[in-house]
């Protein structure tokens, strides 16, 4: 894992967005795994600027959302379908036909999950998956004890997650109890994974995910086994890590950075 400690949310957005910009320039039809939540908003803002300046064309890229609530109306402002279309598809001028969100309103949810896995495969797999992290260590909606081999499926939301997400709804009882989420195995199949997090309330989860044992009770720790996983966080989210000095040193002396600084 590469750990990048940033000054603020804007820097997190810039560094993570630059990976996507490089990728889409190299491969205009790249498949990007999209996350909801507040953490990736800085990435989308940076990408939106690049699109507005004519420096990035996302119109041929594919998008696959990580997750969706079960039973929520598509038009509900907090359905992940709405969030992804509002925050990503529109702002980045993506082709809506190429952007997928698991169908939380399907009559047969299990088939919808299988169809989602198939759609990812049809697109040639996810090139770069963006993930945030829940305060309990979930990625997507893979709650603690999710199998490291799991695929897109129906999950029950943890009480902690419903409480955390209640801020987006009028009251706690309006937060759905079930969701569809890409599995940890699905996420691990992405060619690259970029986890972004900011704030002290993420510090415990980040410390456990990065420096704790790989364990199903800490779903984000699965990323320790990924060949190309980058964790981009602010000082507050990094505040409970042990080896920050090393992470800063490794980032500052990274050969690619030395090369680009020299150019
Ligand atoms: C939700 C999403 C996750 C996200 C998490 C953290 O539960 N399903 O994908 O990472 O919230 O959200 P935030 O970035 O707002 O803290």
């Amino acid at each position: 894992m590469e750990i990048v400690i940033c000054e603020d949310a804007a820097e997190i957005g810039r560094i993570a967005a630059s990976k996507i910009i490089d990728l889409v320039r190299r491969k205009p039809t790249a498949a990007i795994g999209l996350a909801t939540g507040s953490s990736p908003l800085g990435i989308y803002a940076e990408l939106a600027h690049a699109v507005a300046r004519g420096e990035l064309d996302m119109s041929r890229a594919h998008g696959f959302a990580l997750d969706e609530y079960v039973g929520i109306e598509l038009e509900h402002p907090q359905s992940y379908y709405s969030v992804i279309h509002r925050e990503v598809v529109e702002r980045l001028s993506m082709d809506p036909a190429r952007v997928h969100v698991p169908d939380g309103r399907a009559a047969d949810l299990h088939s919808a999950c299988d169809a989602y896995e198939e759609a990812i495969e049809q697109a040639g797999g996810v090139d770069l998956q963006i993930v945030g992290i829940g305060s309990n260590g979930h990625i997507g909606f893979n709650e603690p004890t999710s199998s490291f081999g799991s695929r897109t499926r129906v999950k029950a939301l943890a009480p902690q997650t419903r409480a955390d997400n209640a801020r987006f709804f009028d009251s706690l009882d309006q937060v759905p109890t079930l969701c569809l989420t890409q599995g940890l195995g699905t996420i691990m199949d992405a060619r690259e994974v970029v986890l972004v997090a900011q704030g002290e309330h993420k510090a415990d989860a980040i410390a456990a995910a990065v420096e704790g044992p790989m364990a199903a009770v800490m779903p984000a720790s699965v990323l320790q086994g990924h060949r190309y996983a980058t964790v981009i966080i602010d000082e507050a989210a990094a505040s409970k890590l042990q080896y920050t000095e090393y992470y800063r040193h490794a980032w500052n002396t990274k050969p690619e950075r030395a090369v680009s600084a020299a150019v």
Side-chain angles (χ1 to χ4, degrees), residues 95-161:
D95 173 2
R98 293 176 197 239
V99 179
H100 308 261
V101 181
D103 183 2
R105 292 191 45 77
D108 181 345
L109 292 169
H110 300 292
S111 302
C113 292
D114 292 345
Y116 201 67
E117 288 278 331
E118 224 170 280
I120 293 174
E121 211 177 299
Q122 289 273 315
V126 169
D127 290 292
L128 186 150
Q129 176 67 59
I130 303 168
V131 296
I133 185 168
S135 59
N136 63 359
H138 73 214
I139 53 176
F141 270 136
N142 292 282
E143 302 289 20
T145 71
S146 287
S147 160
F148 280 6
S150 53
R151 311 302 304 185
T152 304
R153 66 210 185 292
V154 183
K155 275 300 271 186
L157 294 173
Q160 170 80 57
T161 301

Side-chain angles (χ1 to χ4, degrees), residues 228-259:
Y228 292 114
T230 310
V231 173
I232 311 178
I233 51 182
D234 67 0
E235 300 278 354
S239 61
K240 296 198 173 159
L241 289 169
Q242 300 274 322
Y243 300 103
T244 49
E245 221 173 291
Y246 171 69
Y247 306 141
R248 288 184 216 279
H249 169 73
W251 174 247
N252 288 326
T253 56
K254 201 178 162 169
E256 296 94 290
R257 279 172 58 83
V259 170

Side-chain angles (χ1 to χ4, degrees), residues 36-39 66-67 80 132-133 138 140-141 161 165 167 202:
T36 54
S38 47
S39 308
L66 274 173
D67 44 16
Y80 285 174
I133 185 168
H138 73 214
F141 270 136
T161 301
N165 289 1
R167 66 188 193 280
K202 299 291 174 74

